[in-house]
Amino acid sequence: MSKRDGVLVALAGQQNAGKSTLFNVLTGARQHVANYPGVTVDKKYGEYRDEVGSVYTVDLPGTYSLTSFSLEERVAREFLLGDRPDVTVNVIDASNLRRSLHLTLQILEMELPSVLALNMMDVAEGRGIQIDQRLLSERLQLPVVATVGRKGQGREALREAVRAEALRQVETPTPPPVLIDYGPLEPIIAQVQQRLAPFKAIADLPQRWLAIELLEGDSQAVSMLVERLGEPAARPLREAVGGLIADFEQRQGMEISDYVVGCRDRAVERLLDGVLSGGEQGRTTLTDRVDRVVLNRWLAPGFLVLTVFAIYQISIVWGYELTNITWPYLAKGRELIAGVLPTAHFLVDPYVRSLGLWLVDSANTLLNYVPIFIILFACIAIVEDSGYMARIAFILDKVLHRFGLHGQSTLPLILGGVFAGGCAVPGVMATKGIPDNRARMATIFTVPFMNCLAKVPLYTLLLGIFFVEHKSLMMFYISTMTIIFALLVAKLLTKTVLSGHETSPFVMELPHYHLPTFNGVARRAIERTWQYIKKVGTVVLAVAVVVFVLLHLPGLPEERKVHFAQEAEAAIERFEQTLEDNPYREIASDANLVPLINYFTDYKRAKLNASGAAASKRVAERFQARNPDFYPLVKRRGADRDAKQAGRALQMLARERQKLRKQMREERITHSILGSIGRSMEPITQFAGFDWKINVALLASFAARESSVATLGVLFQQGDDENQTLEERMGEETREGGATALLAVSMILFFALYPPCLATTMMVKVQTGSYKWMAFSIIFPTILGLLVASAVYSIGMEVGATGIEAMSVVYWGAFVLLLIVGLLSDRKASRLLRQRFSEG
């Protein structure tokens, strides 16, 4: 990002201070998400314009300090040092100034022009906290702006302060004030600065800040020194600084890093003297009162389960009813596209038409679930904004240690989709912050078990076919079952291939409860749904093209082509014989025959799409205008005797044509490359109930999970004169083949344990640095999923169990096993520290 033609602004602040919300308020829709070079931490950047020009804004990772202990801290610090933003907006929680100002002091020590955003002022006022903003601004010698990010309050004032500070730095650049007196350490800081001064290679770095970091023994600061100066020049400096550190610590009887923290804490106290008032320490807040209930050791699991159940009831069960409204529009869109594609031939259509409709059907199958996702994402956004999402992490963390995971495994699992709507890619990326290698590896391999967004369409499809009366219960099973499986697998891995490492204690902070805003919830729901739609338009359609090619090559054998051509000629001959003495024979023969059949199938589909008498009448009028000569043969009422006879013959010919085309499609797929692969797998997958079509869909889903449903949508194709949803088409065909709800259970279990998608396996390679572990992430879940699915399906068929009975047995059996494993686990003494944004 260049700042040559505008102002570069960085937003820095602690986690849960509302920094990202304020970023959204500033930039609106003009924002993008990428990665910082070389790391997996998200970089969110956007742009807005004021009366002067462009303001480029970067949302830095949330961090409590600018040390180098965590990846987020290193990324934020490297950006501030390397890009040197024109203005740094330090977003702090106004209800917790004491803790927040520690980061402010570090930003000022880096000599960065800054504006202080006192965010969450509504929370501070609600707690009776009063802040003298003018006095605080005078003491910090920087602009202070009060904001309420979630309500959009203070946006214009903040924009004005940013522009004013940027202009001031251009006109009269002045370094920030020195606000911390380190006492006996000050002469030593000065000595280090004198030793650093001659080196031009580090002249661009803030010298006082660098001296303090070197004295604190910051490893990244030392590495930076060596990298810029070279080891020969850096060695004497390091030895001299080491001597100064040893001398100071011997005289003071404490480490310099602890001494520095103490000085900063006293500086914060002096800054807030007379600035902060009210907010009695012993006062019980609303957050405290709510937490006494929702975090109660006996009630917390119940609230968690009810939350998950409510989300799925509202989004999946009730939201599914909206697909009855959206599907007709998608079907009409398909008809419009079909109308502009090359016309269909009698047996084999042009490839442009076949591929075009193939892509439309693939997209429509997934776009039909958009209403579900909008509601689902809105529900998740409400849980996030309210503050309960952090409580979910807190509740789950109590369990994670017993199964070999770390407290910081909670965030990756949530990102992966503890509810649904997550994605395994950011979940695996987030594991980089877990300090314990064993827990980090276990988390990497269990994140793909979560209910990522891409799995939901297949679950919804199967429930719509086989579990119409038990949707809520099945979605509850699916959503919580994945957590059970993940914990059991994590325990298995940490006791076998990942054994030898201990877990570490975990520190967690819980934000205050907030009332979600409509704009915030709607924005995130639409953004996440749009990401899904973009994925349909890119990855899924790309996979659909590949699947199309693999299903059409090498094509039908020549003798079968001849056979179907002869069958088609015989059907046409029978049709013409039926119309031998019919006056409509001339209209329905020779060059008119194929256009007439296409006209008939188009008319029938349009009638099926029409809802109500008025719509049906409009269809009739449109087709009569389209071809007045053909219309008498397709209309149902008012036709003369000859037209009725010709219409019946036409309908019979259309049925024979549809039958032949369907047989050709099935044989072509059977002889195709992908069909051959799917059939070669049947000897193994038959024990799980999977036929070659399901095998092909599962293979396609390795590239992208959404492709499973898209591929099924085109494998279970609709006829030329049909207008059925995938649920209807797949339900009819599978039941005709003898499939029961046990097949759906088997598919759900396998899909829950299925290897991560291609993008996730790539991220596994990035995070582990090993192709061996990437291969393990594919092979292990494949074997595990197939074993579980085969056992459940085979045993279920043997004992005659229904689908809901089999799923209930698997779920509660796994739950009992989870309890046994958890109770028998040897848990090392580790204590969960819970901190809140209250006292500093």
Side-chain angles (χ1 to χ4, degrees):
M1 178 182 298
S2 173
K3 57 179 180 178
R4 293 177 182 175
D5 57 347
V7 175
L8 178 60
V9 175
L11 267 66
Q14 296 181 350
Q15 297 175 8
N16 296 315
K19 177 173 55 63
S20 294
T21 302
L22 201 57
F23 171 81
N24 292 333
V25 170
L26 285 174
T27 60
R30 302 185 66 179
Q31 53 186 251
H32 307 278
V33 178
N35 285 334
Y36 288 94
V39 298
T40 55
V41 173
D42 280 346
K43 173 174 64 177
K44 201 172 184 181
Y45 57 95
E47 176 189 352
Y48 69 88
R49 293 187 63 84
D50 57 17
E51 65 280 0
V52 179
S54 298
V55 179
Y56 302 103
T57 310
V58 177
D59 183 14
L60 297 178
T63 176
Y64 296 102
S65 70
L66 292 175
T67 60
S68 60
F69 293 115
S70 71
L71 176 62
E72 288 77 10
E73 291 173 348
R74 291 197 299 272
V75 165
R77 193 172 77 173
E78 288 171 6
F79 181 86
L80 293 173
L81 286 174
D83 289 73
R84 301 298 295 181
D86 298 298
V87 180
T88 299
V89 176
N90 179 205
V91 183
I92 67 176
D93 179 0
S95 65
N96 195 355
L97 278 179
R98 283 186 172 86
R99 178 175 300 173
S100 302
L101 284 177
H102 280 265
L103 179 62
T104 306
L105 295 177
Q106 293 178 65
I107 291 174
L108 293 177
E109 281 186 337
M110 295 179 72
E111 300 178 7
L112 295 167
S114 303
V115 172
L116 192 70
L118 283 176
N119 198 32
M120 300 170 66
M121 283 294 293
D122 55 336
V123 175
E125 292 170 357
R127 298 181 60 192
I129 297 174
Q130 298 175 1
I131 302 172
D132 189 334
Q133 298 177 39
R134 182 191 59 79
L135 182 57
L136 180 61
S137 177
E138 288 180 0
R139 290 181 177 177
L140 291 173
Q141 298 183 37
L142 54 80
V144 175
V145 180
T147 62
V148 181
R150 66 190 188 91
K151 296 181 180 179
Q153 296 177 7
R155 183 185 68 171
E156 294 308 317
L158 183 58
R159 286 182 172 181
E160 291 173 4
V162 167
R163 176 59 69 179
E165 181 65 18
L167 292 175
R168 189 182 70 82
Q169 289 298 322
V170 172
E171 296 170 356
T172 56
T174 54
V178 176
L179 299 176
I180 307 175
D181 183 359
Y182 289 105
L185 188 61
E186 286 292 344
I188 299 176
I189 295 174
Q191 289 184 49
V192 176
Q193 285 186 254
Q194 290 176 0
R195 291 180 178 273
L196 296 175
F199 297 99
K200 295 182 179 180
I202 56 174
D204 61 313
L205 297 175
Q207 300 295 289
R208 179 178 172 85
W209 169 84
L210 180 58
I212 294 172
E213 294 300 304
L214 292 173
L215 288 169
E216 286 189 277
D218 186 283
S219 60
Q220 293 295 314
V222 174
S223 298
M224 188 187 309
L225 194 69
V226 174
E227 180 182 346
R228 293 200 180 193
L229 302 184
E231 180 60 30
R235 186 181 298 111
L237 269 175
R238 294 172 59 187
E239 292 174 354
V241 172
L244 293 172
I245 292 173
D247 180 62
F248 180 87
E249 292 182 348
Q250 184 178 5
R251 285 188 287 106
Q252 296 294 325
M254 64 187 305
E255 294 184 0
I256 289 184
S257 58
D258 294 334
Y259 178 82
V260 167
V261 171
C263 291
R264 287 173 180 164
D265 191 59
R266 288 189 293 272
V268 170
E269 290 293 333
R270 289 193 297 271
L271 283 170
L272 293 181
D273 184 22
V275 170
L276 194 63
S277 60
E280 298 84 358
Q281 297 291 332
R283 177 177 169 183
T284 302
T285 65
L286 175 63
T287 294
D288 293 324
R289 292 194 293 271
V290 174
D291 278 348
R292 288 174 184 173
V293 179
V294 300
L295 294 183
N296 179 278
R297 62 180 301 182
W298 303 112
L299 298 179
F303 277 107
L304 176 58
V305 170
L306 286 175
T307 300
V308 175
F309 185 85
I311 287 175
Y312 278 97
Q313 177 68 28
I314 294 171
S315 61
I316 304 299
V317 179
W318 296 346
Y320 185 79
E321 299 301 320
L322 294 177
T323 61
N324 295 327
I325 300 174
T326 58
W327 179 254
Y329 289 101
L330 294 175
K332 289 178 182 178
R334 183 186 190 275
E335 291 305 308
L336 291 175
I337 294 174
V340 300
L341 292 173
T343 57
H345 295 176
F346 191 84
L347 281 184
V348 181
D349 294 340
Y351 273 106
V352 173
R353 179 180 181 84
S354 298
L355 178 59
L357 293 181
W358 179 282
L359 296 178
V360 171
D361 289 340
S362 299
N364 276 0
T365 301
L366 296 172
L367 293 177
N368 194 41
Y369 297 109
V370 165
I372 294 176
F373 291 135
I374 291 178
I375 298 174
L376 178 62
F377 290 144
C379 290
I380 294 176
I382 290 172
V383 175
E384 290 173 339
D385 289 355
S386 67
Y388 185 64
M389 182 67 81
R391 271 74 184 175
I392 293 174
F394 173 78
I395 296 167
L396 293 176
D397 180 72
K398 296 179 179 180
V399 179
L400 294 179
H401 282 292
R402 293 184 177 269
F403 295 90
L405 297 176
H406 189 271
Q408 292 184 8
S409 301
T410 305
L411 177 61
L413 293 174
I414 290 177
L415 290 175
V418 166
F419 294 141
C423 179
V425 174
V428 173
M429 289 166 55
T431 60
K432 192 157 190 172
I434 301 176
D436 183 270
N437 188 61
R438 187 192 73 172
R440 186 174 70 88
M441 296 291 288
T443 308
I444 288 173
F445 295 131
T446 52
V447 161
F449 292 161
M450 297 297 101
N451 288 316
C452 74
L453 163 66
K455 292 183 181 181
V456 177
L458 181 65
Y459 293 151
T460 307
L461 170 67
L462 295 175
L463 298 192
I465 297 174
F466 295 102
F467 295 97
V468 177
E469 297 179 356
H470 300 97
K471 280 184 182 179
S472 298
L473 180 59
M474 283 295 294
M475 286 310 302
F476 169 73
Y477 280 162
I478 292 170
S479 60
T480 53
M481 173 187 67
T482 52
I483 301 173
I484 296 173
F485 286 168
L487 294 177
L488 290 174
V489 170
K491 187 65 176 180
L492 174 65
L493 294 177
T494 53
K495 288 296 182 181
T496 55
V497 295
L498 299 177
S499 61
H501 297 277
E502 297 296 330
T503 55
S504 304
F506 177 53
V507 178
M508 176 178 290
E509 298 203 23
L510 300 183
H512 294 288
Y513 287 107
H514 298 285
L515 185 65
T517 63
F518 176 81
N519 288 339
V521 170
R523 174 181 293 173
R524 282 219 297 288
I526 293 173
E527 284 178 353
R528 292 173 178 176
T529 304
W530 178 241
Q531 290 177 3
Y532 171 79
I533 294 174
K534 286 194 295 185
K535 196 169 186 179
V536 170
T538 54
V539 177
V540 174
L541 293 186
V543 172
V545 172
V546 174
V547 172
F548 178 86
V549 172
L550 293 179
L551 287 176
H552 280 74
L553 294 177
L556 287 175
E558 194 61 36
E559 64 272 12
R560 296 304 296 167
K561 291 180 181 179
V562 172
H563 166 75
F564 284 114
Q566 292 174 345
E567 291 289 320
E569 291 175 2
I572 294 172
E573 185 176 348
R574 288 192 295 271
F575 171 74
E576 292 177 343
Q577 288 177 354
T578 304
L579 298 184
E580 184 68 32
D581 299 322
N582 193 300
Y584 288 97
R585 185 180 185 281
E586 185 175 348
I587 296 174
S589 60
D590 299 329
N592 288 334
L593 181 60
V594 173
L596 175 61
I597 294 180
N598 290 335
Y599 179 90
F600 171 79
T601 55
D602 292 346
Y603 178 80
K604 188 173 181 180
R605 280 199 307 270
K607 279 288 189 178
L608 289 173
N609 284 332
S611 56
S616 181
K617 183 178 179 181
R618 287 194 296 271
V619 169
E621 292 172 351
R622 187 172 75 250
F623 273 81
Q624 187 172 12
R626 173 175 161 181
N627 194 316
D629 295 331
F630 288 170
Y631 183 70
L633 278 68
V634 301
K635 71 176 183 178
R636 298 180 180 179
R637 297 180 181 179
D640 57 65
R641 181 177 179 181
D642 292 329
K644 288 181 178 180
Q645 180 194 15
R648 287 193 295 269
L650 178 62
Q651 185 174 18
M652 184 172 295
L653 177 62
R655 287 176 180 173
E656 292 187 60
R657 178 206 191 197
Q658 178 186 343
K659 181 180 178 181
L660 289 173
R661 288 165 68 94
K662 185 175 181 180
Q663 289 175 354
M664 289 183 67
R665 280 196 299 264
E666 290 179 349
E667 288 195 24
R668 183 174 60 246
I669 293 174
T670 301
H671 290 90
S672 69
I673 297 173
L674 204 56
S676 299
I677 296 173
R679 289 190 181 280
S680 68
M681 296 167 59
E682 281 188 334
I684 299 174
T685 62
Q686 63 177 331
F687 299 104
F690 302 163
D691 62 9
W692 69 272
K693 287 187 176 181
I694 295 175
N695 292 341
V696 167
L698 292 175
L699 285 172
S701 71
F702 177 70
R705 285 287 179 266
E706 301 93 332
S707 299
S708 60
V709 175
T711 304
L712 288 172
V714 293
L715 290 176
F716 293 91
Q717 295 187 52
Q718 62 184 10
D720 295 326
D721 59 350
E722 296 176 350
N723 182 36
Q724 295 178 303
T725 64
L726 177 56
E727 285 89 344
E728 295 169 336
R729 305 196 305 268
M730 185 175 172
E732 288 179 6
E733 189 166 333
T734 53
R735 290 192 184 97
E736 288 175 1
T740 66
L742 272 176
L743 172 61
V745 172
S746 177
M747 290 181 67
I748 289 170
L749 292 175
F750 182 81
F751 210 61
L753 298 172
Y754 190 56
C757 65
L758 184 60
T760 306
T761 57
M762 293 177 181
M763 189 52 59
V764 170
K765 164 61 175 63
V766 171
Q767 295 297 341
T768 62
S770 168
Y771 285 105
K772 178 188 72 173
W773 287 120
M774 184 181 76
F776 179 81
S777 72
I778 299 173
I779 297 171
F780 171 71
T782 300
I783 296 174
L784 178 64
L786 195 57
L787 287 175
V788 172
S790 298
V792 172
Y793 183 80
S794 299
I795 296 174
M797 291 295 290
E798 188 68 24
V799 301
T802 64
I804 194 66
E805 289 172 347
M807 191 68 172
S808 298
V809 170
V810 171
Y811 180 86
W812 293 112
F815 183 74
V816 171
L817 179 61
L818 182 78
L819 292 178
I820 294 173
V821 172
L823 292 174
L824 295 180
S825 294
D826 295 324
R827 186 179 183 184
K828 297 282 185 180
S830 63
R831 187 177 181 180
L832 177 70
L833 303 177
R834 178 186 172 217
Q835 300 175 349
R836 173 173 299 147
F837 290 152
S838 53
E839 290 82 33

